Amino acid sequence: PQTIYRKDYTPPTYLVDTVELGFDLDPDRTIVASRLAMVRNPDSVGEGIELHGVNLQLVTLRMNGKTLHPGDYDISGDMLRIPSAPDEVTLEIETLTAPVKNTTLNGLYVSNGNFFTQCEAEGFRSITYFPDRPDVMAKFTVMLRADKKKYPVLLSNGNLIDEGDLGDGRHYAKWEDPFKKPSYLFALVAARLVCQEETFRLKDGRDALLQVWVEDGNLDKTDYAMQSLKNSIRWDEERFGLELDLDRFMIVAVSDFNMGAMENKGLNIFNTKFVLANPRVATDVDYAGIEAVVGHEYFHNWTGNRVTCRDWFQLSLKEGLTVFRDQEFSADMIGTDSGRAVTRIEQVRTLRQAQFPEDAGPMAHPVRPDSFVEINNFYTVTVYEKGAEVVRMYQTLLGREGFRKGMDLYFERHDEQAVECDDFRAAMADANNRDLAQFERWYSQAGTPVVTASGRYDAGAGAFALTLTQSCPPTPGQPDKLPFHIPVAVGLLGASGKDMHLTLDGAKAGTTAILELTEPSQTFRFTGIKEEPTPSILRDFSAPVVLEYPYTDEQLLHLFSHDSDPVNRWEAGQRLAMERLLKMTAAVGSGNKLALDDTFIDAMRKILVDASLDAAFRENALLLPSESMVAEQMDMVNPQAIHLARQAMRHTIGTSLRKELLAQYEANQTPGEYSPDAVSAGKRGLKNLALAYLSAAPDDDINMLAQRQFDRAGNMTDRVAALVSLIHSAAPGAADALERFYAEFDNEALVVDKWFAIQAAAPGTDVAAVRELMKHPAFTLKNPNRARSLIFNFCNGNPAQFHAPDGSGYAFWAEQVKALDALNPQVASRLARSMDRWRRYAPALQTQMKGALQKVSGSGKLSNDVNEVVSKALT
Ligand code: B3K
Ligand code: ZN
């Protein structure tokens, strides 16, 4: 496999003005006719026309009306070259494909008898020959022809300009997209579907037609997606002054889909998981996911579609920015400061849980990677979530208004262009007259920076000096790092717990100062400080870094009780918990008694019963760091010891706080009609966390409580929480509840996914049990959601079982990676990532993990996707 480098970028030799596509859709034999109006690119020094194509059967190729014959062109690998061509050409290309045989869910494929496409990043080249690169932007017209009975609905990008019957049982629809776009944003759907639709008045007075398309029988699950779409449109108008530029906007749900959703211009295609919801089948988390993903894809219409990426190394230009936008959207939809803080806490958790490990492992790469083998492997938490943090830092440094000015300038300069991350940075800098040159390192250097802080209080001078020192560990190909430009938000708490008013270098700085750390080490002097403060550093998680400060327990307890910054308040609790989890894990390893101090329990109790705090905040504050988060803190990981320690801690909390947990369980019931709003969801979250703690120390009463909740729950959130509690505590009713759950929902694919997922992650589920579950008639590897629900949730979500000392989990992993790879490389390669951190495990496990990696890597016919992941892991 070939490595592609960012430094090798060259402009396309030819540009495409217009594309006319004709599809004669047939599952076994689809004919694609394409007519391209092309012109030589004045910015290119290259010769000839270059078109990408994969697995295509070429029927005819004509240039300016003349048929070309082998010899006039050359096909090698994924490229068709016409070595000599005039400056202006019309190419007519006819190709054949067999969508029904396409199990990769990339390009044109069939799902449940319907046609769908997925073209990002490089799927268009398996539909027709084309310069399939994002810097070639063209106007598309699309003619779809198909059997009318089987495929009554024919959709593509933009506006419907004609439709009718063809007489032979077939019909057609013609679509025109008024905007130039790269091929990765092309989409078509030919299907038997139904829709919920609505006209929506845009800010400028135009009416737009909004549609949500689903399979028959699912129309009772489209309201929330539609509502989220309308909220997204409004929000982008108000927050960024960006309007919908089309007369029609469609969302289509498909059950076989590799990722969450895709932002094809005017025709977003979604995994059903992020469209379908009603209280009976969807949890609070599902609702929040739908709002976020509908928002995300809609926001791409400007950040991604109107302004797109020059090349795929720039992916974070659209993804980091769009994740930031969807995060802000979700936060604004809650509307309160405390609600916003909870969304921020959840973002921090994701980052630590998934991105920090990636940044410290064999696949570590900068937000703007320098090279890749398979671009699909780079749709990562680094490009997305760390990318969003980088965008957030502009806002932290420039303020909301400054950020908005930067966005306005970005669109003013680059509308309908394909640009680079540097162009975005330049817009931010120029709109605000700021030098952001050093900020570039956030794009070019991989690894999580470590900021070490130390404070010195000088009572005589009434001054507090905070010294911040930064470093960044080496990552593959980057042994040495230069200092980053890091915004560090700092507050100082007095003994009363109140924020001090800050004076920094003689200037008033409010109660939270944004320190800009640009040197390897800097000292910041706060004056007018009358008592020794407790510093609250990195408020609101102002930069994606690891903060080290020698906090004492007393200081952490002080912050946990008083910090006005909810993120740092939560963080103090996480630090207290993590310290104890690590100690207890060590104690398991050395056979010592597992003790948890009363101080910690008391701190948890105080938060639990503090009714002045939002339930959602309390839930987050009481949630212990996950087992994998603990693993990340250890030099030599022993997954079983971590599991035992964490279980012991949960058990102690369950017993010591039993009375308070029961009281909160009752106090946070949400009777009446279900609503997914943040306040209600927060109450359910706290109530169900209380149930989970109680079930960690179960007795008959607690089991009955869980059983009663399972039997009476009026919504899926409570249903699932009760089921999980029953299973995790091995309650007498657990097996029966599982069976009933399946029987009730066997027609709801997304709920069956939950049924598999719950079992996959249950502490009692070992490899043998997973293998049994794979024999269930409802299990299939071909559907990504189903494969993820069982296999991924076991390999990534059940560490104590996955890392069984006999290596059976690893053998299972190797088998499944290979089986999936034969069907769907993109999904297989995600599973391959489960082994990223193998070098950190205890030696006996390490050897077996390495063996499993070698087994996959040596097994011959591997996709580029999986090959890149396993070979980097073994390097
Ligand atoms: N842009 C798509 C992701 C495409 C992934 C291709 N392997 C979804 C999104 O980020 O909105
Ligand atoms: Zn995206």
Side-chain angles (χ1 to χ4, degrees):
Q2 203 194 330
T3 303
I4 301 162
Y5 295 91
R6 183 167 63 89
K7 63 174 166 48
D8 291 344
Y9 172 86
T10 52
T13 53
Y14 276 74
L15 302 174
V16 182
D17 280 332
T18 58
V19 189
E20 290 160 68
L21 293 172
F23 286 86
D24 279 289
L25 291 159
D26 180 300
D28 299 293
R29 204 189 134 81
T30 288
I31 306 168
V32 184
S34 163
R35 189 189 166 92
L36 309 178
M38 305 181 77
V39 289
R40 190 189 290 277
N41 180 5
D43 296 337
S44 165
V45 290
E47 280 296 315
I49 295 176
E50 298 183 329
L51 308 173
H52 299 96
V54 176
N55 286 332
L56 295 171
Q57 197 182 319
L58 182 61
V59 182
T60 54
L61 173 58
R62 274 197 296 269
M63 181 161 76
N64 290 342
K66 276 219 318 269
T67 301
L68 299 188
H69 301 284
D72 301 330
Y73 62 89
D74 159 68
I75 298 183
S76 69
D78 295 348
M79 202 64 109
L80 185 159
R81 286 192 179 78
I82 307 172
S84 71
D87 287 357
E88 279 186 32
V89 297
T90 301
L91 287 185
E92 289 162 282
I93 311 165
E94 210 174 287
T95 50
L96 262 177
T97 58
V100 76
K101 294 205 189 110
N102 181 1
T103 59
T104 65
L105 312 184
N106 182 46
L108 176 64
Y109 66 94
V110 175
S111 163
N112 258 346
N114 294 323
F115 290 98
F116 298 91
T117 54
Q118 169 55 39
C119 292
E120 188 177 0
E122 299 177 337
F124 194 72
R125 63 187 63 182
S126 63
I127 297 177
T128 179
Y129 283 103
F130 195 80
D132 187 17
R133 39 187 292 168
D135 55 354
V136 173
M137 296 172 83
K139 279 199 180 157
F140 282 65
T141 311
V142 180
M143 171 65 112
L144 303 173
R145 284 178 288 262
D147 186 280
K148 189 173 180 177
K149 269 226 192 68
K150 288 189 195 140
Y151 313 106
V153 177
L154 302 174
L155 310 175
S156 191
N157 317 86
N159 301 316
L160 179 64
I161 54 172
D162 191 14
E163 62 185 330
D165 272 327
L166 290 164
D168 50 355
R170 293 168 73 76
H171 68 149
Y172 71 92
K174 194 170 181 187
W175 292 81
E176 187 181 72
D177 185 346
F179 294 96
K180 289 202 303 179
K181 67 167 175 289
S183 49
Y184 83 87
L185 289 173
F186 165 80
L188 75 78
V189 172
R192 170 171 292 285
L193 296 174
V194 291
C195 84
Q196 174 180 349
E197 67 180 359
E198 200 169 311
T199 35
F200 186 68
R201 173 86 25 109
L202 304 175
K203 203 173 171 191
D204 71 358
R206 282 180 304 129
D207 280 331
L209 176 64
L210 310 181
Q211 297 179 321
V212 180
W213 291 92
V214 297
E215 279 185 14
D216 200 8
N218 280 331
L219 270 183
D220 60 341
K221 306 188 191 79
T222 50
D223 285 352
Y224 200 69
M226 179 61 92
Q227 188 55 49
S228 300
L229 177 58
K230 290 187 286 181
N231 290 344
S232 305
I233 297 174
R234 250 331 147 244
W235 183 85
D236 220 8
E237 289 174 345
E238 271 157 28
R239 176 83 180 256
F240 288 109
L242 298 171
E243 286 197 27
L244 176 59
D245 54 9
L246 295 164
D247 302 335
R248 178 195 286 248
F249 195 88
M250 298 168 280
I251 287 178
V252 181
V254 55
S255 51
D256 294 293
F257 205 67
N258 284 344
M259 343 55 77
M262 178 64 212
E263 70 264 25
N264 316 300
K265 185 81 186 186
L267 179 57
N268 290 355
I269 298 182
F270 272 60
N271 189 323
T272 45
K273 182 175 162 52
F274 293 107
V275 176
L276 304 180
N278 65 29
R280 182 173 169 263
V281 299
T283 62
D284 294 332
V285 172
D286 294 329
Y287 276 91
I290 291 168
E291 180 177 78
V293 178
V294 168
H296 182 96
E297 306 311 331
Y298 176 74
F299 302 142
H300 267 316
N301 191 49
W302 280 93
T303 52
N305 301 3
R306 284 288 284 259
V307 182
T308 194
C309 302
R310 186 194 71 167
D311 56 72
W312 291 119
F313 297 103
Q314 317 295 331
L315 182 57
S316 198
L317 172 76
K318 73 177 177 81
E319 295 305 347
L321 177 53
T322 304
V323 171
F324 170 74
R325 276 152 55 69
D326 86 54
Q327 290 175 347
E328 288 290 277
F329 166 61
S330 294
D332 285 346
M333 284 298 110
I334 300 178
T336 61
D337 283 352
S338 53
R340 171 173 277 275
V342 168
T343 64
R344 187 68 189 134
I345 288 167
E346 281 159 1
Q347 292 153 18
V348 177
R349 193 181 282 120
T350 307
L351 214 65
R352 286 199 182 133
Q353 171 92 27
Q355 199 280 324
F356 285 14
E358 177 166 274
D359 232 349
M363 278 289 288
H365 53 275
V367 164
R368 181 193 57 206
D370 289 316
S371 67
F372 58 73
V373 172
E374 171 51 62
I375 182 55
N376 285 318
N377 282 335
F378 286 81
Y379 287 74
T380 58
V381 269
T382 298
V383 166
Y384 276 64
E385 272 73 21
K386 187 178 182 179
E389 292 299 314
V390 170
V391 173
R392 183 176 295 276
M393 284 190 286
Y394 288 112
Q395 185 171 272
T396 304
L397 290 166
L398 305 171
R400 261 203 202 198
E401 266 180 46
F403 184 78
R404 171 66 196 269
K405 278 199 230 156
M407 287 285 279
D408 290 350
L409 184 59
Y410 175 64
F411 290 116
E412 198 182 305
R413 284 180 176 173
H414 301 300
D415 192 15
E416 296 198 76
Q417 294 176 14
V419 302
E420 296 175 81
C421 297
D422 282 341
D423 295 309
F424 185 77
R425 186 168 51 89
M428 285 291 153
D430 296 348
N432 291 280
N433 278 315
R434 284 278 307 242
D435 179 358
L436 292 173
Q438 188 178 350
F439 198 82
E440 194 267 343
R441 291 178 191 153
W442 283 111
Y443 292 96
S444 59
Q445 299 188 142
T448 307
V450 178
V451 173
T452 307
S454 65
R456 213 171 50 81
Y457 180 58
D458 180 341
F464 181 74
L466 185 67
T467 300
L468 302 176
T469 304
Q470 58 164 312
S471 64
C472 183
T475 46
Q478 296 187 336
D480 302 306
K481 310 290 166 80
L482 295 164
F484 291 86
H485 183 169
I486 308 177
V488 182
V490 173
L492 301 178
L493 273 69
S496 69
K498 290 226 167 64
D499 276 330
M500 298 179 171
H501 291 277
L502 305 177
T503 305
L504 187 65
D505 297 327
K508 294 239 177 293
T511 52
T512 299
I514 309 289
L515 310 179
E516 296 191 27
L517 176 62
T518 53
E519 306 289 324
S521 184
Q522 268 163 269
T523 298
F524 300 87
R525 248 174 84 87
F526 297 94
T527 50
I529 306 290
K530 300 196 175 63
E531 55 173 320
E532 171 138 32
T534 304
S536 167
I537 310 170
L538 208 68
R539 280 185 159 177
D540 204 39
F541 202 66
S542 59
V545 303
V546 171
L547 171 69
E548 286 181 356
Y549 185 86
Y551 282 118
T552 62
D553 261 14
E554 288 66 40
Q555 288 177 313
L556 289 175
L557 289 164
H558 192 56
L559 293 170
F560 196 39
S561 305
H562 300 293
D563 201 328
S564 67
D565 180 70
V567 173
N568 265 4
R569 191 167 177 186
W570 164 80
E571 172 70 359
Q574 295 293 297
R575 281 176 190 257
L576 288 165
M578 180 61 86
E579 239 173 70
R580 283 154 179 85
L581 279 167
L582 288 170
K583 274 201 195 118
M584 287 169 79
T585 302
V588 175
S590 54
N592 290 336
K593 207 172 147 278
L594 302 185
L596 188 57
D597 54 300
D598 291 343
T599 321
F600 178 73
I601 296 288
D602 288 342
M604 298 283 274
R605 176 183 293 114
K606 244 174 82 186
I607 295 275
L608 175 61
V609 303
D610 186 345
S612 74
L613 296 169
D614 284 359
F617 177 80
R618 285 187 277 161
E619 181 206 354
N620 276 285
L622 298 174
L623 204 58
L624 302 177
S626 69
E627 291 176 24
S628 64
M629 227 111 99
V630 180
E632 282 301 314
Q633 300 300 311
M634 299 175 63
D635 295 326
M636 199 201 280
V637 181
N638 176 346
Q640 286 78 28
I642 296 174
H643 178 67
L644 288 173
R646 192 168 180 280
Q647 286 303 99
M649 196 153 160
R650 296 177 68 242
H651 183 275
T652 310
I653 294 171
T655 6
S656 316
L657 300 181
R658 183 178 170 112
K659 194 174 69 157
E660 292 84 353
L661 288 166
L662 282 168
Q664 291 304 320
Y665 182 83
E666 292 308 331
N668 287 284
Q669 298 288 331
T670 48
E673 207 189 322
Y674 171 89
S675 153
D677 70 90
V679 172
S680 314
K683 286 187 179 169
R684 277 185 292 273
L686 180 57
K687 176 196 68 183
N688 287 325
L689 182 68
L691 179 63
Y693 275 129
L694 290 164
S695 305
D699 60 15
D700 288 352
D701 290 347
I702 301 299
N703 286 338
M704 243 165 60
L705 201 66
Q707 186 71 51
R708 201 179 55 199
Q709 177 168 325
F710 181 78
D711 294 339
R712 299 188 188 168
N715 61 73
M716 184 51 83
T717 306
D718 288 341
R719 253 307 167 82
V720 162
L723 183 58
V724 168
S725 282
L726 288 169
I727 294 173
H728 283 223
S729 59
D736 184 53
L738 253 181
E739 215 172 288
R740 275 169 48 207
F741 187 85
Y742 184 81
E744 189 177 337
F745 294 106
D746 61 349
N747 275 327
E748 298 286 352
L750 295 170
V751 184
V752 173
D753 290 338
K754 296 184 200 302
W755 185 79
F756 279 109
I758 290 167
Q759 297 180 76
T765 302
D766 58 11
V767 185
V770 176
R771 287 187 188 277
E772 269 313 298
L773 279 167
M774 285 181 72
K775 294 185 194 144
H776 192 281
F779 186 79
T780 168
L781 273 187
K782 289 190 184 137
N783 175 264
N785 287 357
R786 194 57 51 84
R788 284 187 279 254
S789 72
L790 182 57
I791 298 172
F792 287 49
N793 270 308
F794 178 71
C795 295
N796 302 332
N798 198 343
Q801 293 284 6
F802 176 62
H803 295 277
D806 63 2
S808 53
Y810 309 144
F812 172 76
W813 168 87
E815 263 171 53
Q816 301 313 320
V817 169
K818 283 191 282 180
L820 275 169
D821 200 31
L823 293 168
N824 187 329
Q826 286 185 37
V827 174
S829 134
R830 294 284 156 154
L831 182 62
R833 297 285 310 270
S834 304
M835 223 58 119
D836 268 13
R837 301 295 270 151
W838 68 277
R839 286 176 202 273
R840 300 167 35 77
Y841 285 80
L845 296 180
Q846 235 185 72
T847 315
Q848 306 206 57
M849 293 175 93
K850 185 174 182 185
L853 278 162
Q854 283 167 332
K855 200 161 158 206
V856 171
S857 125
S859 61
K861 245 182 59 199
L862 275 190
S863 65
N864 278 349
D865 309 57
V866 169
N867 194 23
E868 177 172 32
V869 169
V870 296
S871 37
K872 284 184 175 165
L874 286 166
T875 304

